[in-house]
Each structure stands twice: as structure tokens, then as C-alpha cells.
Amino acid sequence: MKVTVIGYWGAYPQVERATSSYLLECDGFTCLLDCGSGVLSRLQKYKSISDLDAIVLSHYHHDHIADVGSLQYAFLIDNLLHQRNRTWPIYGHHENEERFQSLFHTATEGKAYKAGDVMTIGPFQFQFLKTVHPVPCYAMKITDGKSTIVYTADTSFFEDLIPFCQNADLLIAESSFYKGMDSTSAGHMTSDECGKIANRASVRELWLTHLPHFGNVSELKREASEEYDGKIYLADEGLSWEA
């Protein structure tokens, strides 16, 4: 199993970068976790449109889905160029009917998940945990039967994240705010809260992502390290993990 950062900024993409998106690969199967602003352009440095097999969305805020529409048209063009009628699945929750229905397009089909679901997508088994965010959003635990990664998506800290992340090989945790800031009202986490989760859940590696557009982001890593003494990386395009 391999995961690669495609986009990692919160809110909007910085120059030559993208918001939330992660490329997940195993046994020839390629899955995209979230598809934010700027993702389609950055993705093609690593994979062609035809290489994608599925897309899984955590929620419907624009910094996580802005390029879904562009990707749907890319799939349509890809089918026309190759003279075929392939349909790509896009997984999303059903708590916003209008957004869920937008996942259906000429070359894409929406597939619904809900809290507590255990779902097989290609070689992966996904589990979903509803997070604490202003709109319905889901963290994902993903395993290929050998290794496990957890993607918190957008959330403020809550205790149920600890058992959900327990013993993960990789935790991709959103760190939108710095230590001591009020992140709860915005539905996000601070750097030290990410470190606390990683420590209490005994994860093997921590990535800080969904980075803020203010302050010195290198401080996020230092602050998380006060709570967790394992490997910590700031998300950046191309950062990858493989097991």
C-alpha cells in the first residue's frame, strides 16, 4: 500500500499547489481521497486520468471537492478518446442529497457510505467515523490487510478519534491551527491535539495536513512533537509512505 500527498492546503491552494487530496495505491488499484481545488492539475504529475479507479470524498466543502466537476469531464473526455463507456465510482455520504446527486455524471456514479460502514473498495477495506465539523464529514480508516492508515479529514478533537486511530501505521491528521488557538469553533484541530492523538493511539507515523495560510507552518511540527515522539512530517506535494 502506498499513499502520496497531492494537495494539503486548507481553504484554498497556494501557488502551484492544491487543497486536500491523497493518492492511495495497492496491487494496481488507484484511489483518490478527496479532490480539492487544483488537484486535477497536480495529480497528472503522478498518474493519468485513466489510472484512477475510484474517488472517496470525506465531505462536501469546496476545499475537498472543488475539482470533482473537472475530473468528471476529464473522465468523459478520456472515454471519448479511447472509444469506451467506462464508469468511475465516487463515494460520498448521503447526508446532503444535492451534493450526493452531483456525483452522478456521464462517466461517474455516486456510491453512498454512512457512519459505521465497513466497505470494500478495490483491495482496500474502508471504515468511516463521523467527525465534529460544521457539516457532515467522515474520517476514514483504510487497510489492505497488512497495513492501516487513518485520514481524519476535517474535525475538531473528540475522544472517539483515539480508538479509531489505534495502532495505525500512518495517521494523516488535519492541523489547521497552532497550539493554544481556539480551533473547536471552526471544526478543526491544533497541532498539539494531533500530537496527542498520535501518542495516545500509538500510531507509527504522523502527517500534519490541511495547513493554515498564516504563521510559520514549521511550528506545527514542533508543537506536535511536544506530545508525540514518533516520526512527524508536514504534508507537502509528493510526500509518500509505502508498506
Side-chain angles (χ1 to χ4, degrees), residues 157-168:
F157 176 85
F158 65 110
E159 283 292 329
D160 285 350
L161 277 173
I162 307 301
F164 191 71
C165 297
Q166 196 69 43
N167 297 321

Side-chain angles (χ1 to χ4, degrees), residues 2 5 7 24 28 31 33 35 82 114 159 168 174 181 206 218:
K2 179 180 181 181
V5 176
L24 187 62
C31 180
L33 307 180
C35 188
H82 292 92
K114 62 183 183 298
E159 283 292 329
E174 74 110 297
M181 298 184 72
L206 171 64
S218 65

Side-chain angles (χ1 to χ4, degrees), residues 121-136:
I121 302 175
F124 304 110
Q125 184 182 81
F126 278 70
Q127 289 180 257
F128 298 93
L129 175 69
K130 193 169 187 178
T131 70
V132 180
H133 198 55
V135 300

Side-chain angles (χ1 to χ4, degrees), residues 133-159:
H133 198 55
V135 300
C137 179
Y138 286 83
M140 307 172 195
K141 181 189 294 184
I142 307 155
T143 182
D144 64 351
K146 300 174 185 176
S147 303
T148 300
I149 68 171
V150 174
Y151 169 43
T152 68
D154 286 8
T155 185
S156 56
F157 176 85
F158 65 110
E159 283 292 329

Side-chain angles (χ1 to χ4, degrees), residues 31-91:
C31 180
L32 197 63
L33 307 180
D34 282 340
C35 188
S37 181
V39 167
L40 187 55
S41 174
R42 312 310 298 177
L43 172 66
Q44 292 174 87
K45 292 176 60 180
Y46 304 91
K47 292 287 179 179
S48 72
I49 300 301
S50 298
D51 288 331
L52 290 179
D53 294 295
I55 299 92
V56 185
L57 304 176
S58 62
H59 66 300
Y60 301 122
H61 272 159
H62 287 296
D63 55 331
H64 293 255
I65 65 161
D67 271 18
V68 169
S70 297
L71 188 57
Q72 287 173 317
Y73 277 99
F75 287 148
L76 171 61
I77 297 301
D78 191 72
N79 271 345
L80 291 172
L81 292 175
H82 292 92
Q83 298 183 344
R84 62 188 177 194
N85 192 31
R86 183 180 176 186
T87 300
W88 282 263
I90 305 180
Y91 295 81

